[in-house]
Amino acid sequence: MKEKELIKLVEPLQEWLINNYNPHCSILIKDGEVKILSDELSIPLNIED
């Protein structure tokens, strides 16, 4: 299953991110580039259906 394969691939990246950056950072992987992104502000919104 592709989901299990993806989880296996992502676990080392997740560990690396935890050890090298802060909880406000994320990794974005695209064809041809990888970015480390940092959130400046995040406010959850209550959106009703």
Side-chain angles (χ1 to χ4, degrees):
M1 176 179 231
K2 288 185 179 187
E3 183 179 332
K4 289 181 181 179
E5 184 180 1
L6 181 59
I7 290 169
K8 188 176 179 178
L9 290 169
V10 169
E11 285 176 342
L13 285 174
Q14 182 182 26
E15 187 68 28
W16 180 84
L17 187 64
I18 289 168
N19 290 328
N20 292 283
Y21 286 90
N22 64 61
H24 305 286
C25 291
S26 59
I27 298 172
L28 175 64
I29 301 171
K30 293 183 176 182
D31 184 30
E33 70 178 333
V34 176
K35 292 181 181 182
I36 305 294
L37 305 171
S38 178
D39 294 333
E40 293 295 320
L41 178 64
S42 177
I43 301 171
L45 301 175
N46 292 326
I47 299 175
E48 296 183 26
D49 292 335

